[in-house]
Amino acid sequence: MSKESPPPVVLTCAQPSGQLHLGNYFGAIRHWARLVESHTCFFGIVDLHAITVPYIPAELRKATYRSLALYIACGLDPKKCHLFCQSHVIGHTELAWILGALCPIGQLERMTQFKDKSQRAESSFIGSGLLNYPLLMAADILLYNADLVPVGEDQKQHVELCRDLAQKFNQTYSETFKVPDLHIPRTGARIKSLQDPEKKMSKSDPTQSGCLYLLDPPETLRKKVRSAVTDSGSEIRATEEKPGISNLLTLLSACSGRAVSDLESEFDGAGYGTFKDTVADAVIEAVKPIQERYAEIHEDKGYLDEVFKEGAGKAQQRAYRMLSKVYRKAGFVSRT
Ligand code: TRP
């Protein structure tokens, strides 16, 4: 990279669930926190996406603050990256509308997340917001003309749609958007459910004991680790026949920074009980600084509002530039 060229722009977003688990942390957030050192990073909390399924407004507001506090506690330093709330920035929904005009309905109907969510819907009501969800997500990305979009495997299809739409816009009007690169981090540890180690750790895990939340009290974390499913035999080895033990080894490795092979030799001959105790200790130790930082800031609305304000300011600058370009190309008369 030459000296003059600005750092590449990273954008990623997450819904304001108000909770994060160790899978989110080791699989994504720790990786984002490293990216801020060498990239211009925008991290959005996407409240507009959150209303595409039934929800409670007061809960959404709380969860949005909680999510922000959690990100900061996890090490996303607002001095080094732009943390913003989607609804604070004009342009996301505007651009989604324009992209919608270029997107065949069939392409949206074929999205696996739409199919899953509409099948799982608790009532017969399926809002068109759910169908249009990927348009808003494409707008989130293109509005910042992002170079890199770090997402999990489950969002790959949405990012591909975004790439299609960027190309389509460029062809229909003229070269406008960078076609962003999908960036699925390989480095992060993939933590699985403690109760069903074939599936990834998830907040929608039917047995909540399979999911370790960053804000779970130490005793809860210990209990969950202790009750993790293990495999037959007593060897502590990361092998395909031992998904439970492999998962605990991955978790211990992520928490302690030690290689799985080292851990295998250290626990050679030790029983599952001792091993699990060590895993629990390491998990508790790993989340401690996050919990401490969270405790300091989560009730400080003034501080959190300030972070949102700064983030929105920076995000809006970049968003307006792109939006006015898009409006011009689309043939809208400029507002003077
Ligand atoms: N759909 C993403 C998820 O559920 C969240 C998201 C919304 C997103 N807009 C985005 C992710 C833009 C990356 C870029 O995880």
Side-chain angles (χ1 to χ4, degrees):
M1 205 193 318
S2 79
K3 263 195 189 149
E4 302 81 48
S5 61
V9 172
V10 169
L11 173 125
T12 193
C13 303
Q15 292 212 28
S17 68
Q19 304 198 62
L20 291 173
H21 54 66
L22 268 82
N24 300 134
Y25 180 66
F26 288 120
I29 298 159
R30 254 197 356 177
H31 178 67
W32 302 351
R34 276 196 294 269
L35 284 172
V36 305
E37 303 298 336
S38 48
H39 296 71
T40 299
C41 293
F42 290 91
F43 298 121
I45 298 178
V46 289
D47 48 357
L48 296 167
H49 278 105
I51 68 165
T52 55
V53 290
Y55 76 105
I56 299 163
E59 293 297 322
L60 174 62
R61 190 171 296 115
K62 272 194 227 149
T64 303
Y65 278 118
R66 250 189 273 133
S67 288
L68 176 64
L70 265 169
Y71 286 127
I72 298 170
C74 284
L76 296 179
D77 180 351
K79 293 201 179 73
K80 294 188 181 168
C81 61
H82 311 303
L83 296 166
F84 69 95
C85 175
Q86 187 188 32
S87 66
H88 290 175
V89 181
I90 295 169
H92 291 258
T93 52
E94 285 77 359
L95 182 54
W97 179 258
I98 289 170
L99 297 174
L102 293 172
C103 184
I105 295 180
Q107 212 171 351
L108 296 172
E109 284 168 340
R110 280 195 299 276
M111 292 285 124
T112 47
Q113 190 168 35
F114 170 69
K115 289 195 278 189
D116 285 354
K117 283 197 184 175
S118 49
Q119 271 159 21
R120 264 192 281 130
E122 277 159 26
S123 69
S124 58
F125 174 79
I126 297 160
S128 54
L130 202 56
L131 180 68
N132 290 323
Y133 181 113
L135 294 172
L136 184 57
M137 175 162 163
D140 296 338
I141 297 168
L142 299 179
L143 192 60
Y144 297 89
N145 219 14
D147 296 284
L148 273 189
V149 186
V151 288
E153 195 68 41
D154 64 325
Q155 294 299 312
K156 206 168 141 185
Q157 199 184 28
H158 286 159
V159 177
E160 269 153 16
L161 176 74
C162 169
R163 289 167 53 85
D164 279 358
L165 291 170
Q167 275 158 349
K168 199 146 183 200
F169 188 98
N170 290 348
Q171 281 156 14
T172 308
Y173 300 99
S174 65
E175 199 59 33
T176 306
F177 294 119
K178 276 183 217 157
V179 180
D181 283 333
L182 177 73
H183 177 71
I184 296 180
R186 302 244 161 268
T187 49
R190 287 163 191 234
I191 313 285
K192 305 290 175 58
S193 161
L194 299 183
Q195 289 301 318
D196 183 357
E198 305 289 344
K199 298 213 179 90
K200 65 177 194 175
M201 186 172 279
S202 159
K203 68 174 184 346
S204 37
D205 196 325
T207 61
Q208 281 296 302
S209 53
C211 185
L212 300 167
Y213 291 103
L214 296 178
L215 297 180
D216 274 345
E219 278 328 298
T220 308
L221 293 169
R222 187 175 301 281
K223 241 201 219 110
K224 288 180 178 176
V225 171
R226 280 230 178 106
S227 62
V229 298
T230 45
D231 317 289
S232 55
S234 60
E235 286 212 313
I236 294 165
R237 295 234 158 264
T239 59
E240 255 176 53
E241 307 81 66
K242 295 191 151 243
I245 291 296
S246 300
N247 187 35
L248 292 176
L249 278 165
T250 308
L251 185 57
L252 181 54
S253 165
C255 292
S256 64
R258 296 177 55 198
V260 168
S261 54
D262 278 1
L263 298 169
E264 284 174 331
S265 11
E266 179 178 333
F267 288 96
D268 189 24
Y272 284 170
T274 324
F275 174 59
K276 280 181 167 178
D277 280 336
T278 310
V279 176
D281 288 341
V283 166
I284 292 166
E285 203 52 37
V287 301
K288 201 170 157 207
I290 299 173
Q291 297 193 344
E292 285 171 357
R293 182 77 182 118
Y294 182 82
E296 280 167 22
I297 58 174
H298 84 283
E299 280 182 278
D300 191 347
K301 276 262 184 65
Y303 170 68
L304 297 176
D305 281 332
E306 199 52 43
V307 171
F308 269 145
K309 188 174 161 190
E310 277 197 26
K314 280 290 180 324
Q316 188 67 77
Q317 258 176 25
R318 197 168 168 91
Y320 266 144
R321 228 179 302 142
M322 213 58 210
L323 188 67
S324 50
K325 203 166 170 184
V326 166
Y327 274 12
R328 209 166 49 243
K329 303 227 179 177
F332 299 160
V333 170
S334 67
R335 195 177 72 177
T336 49

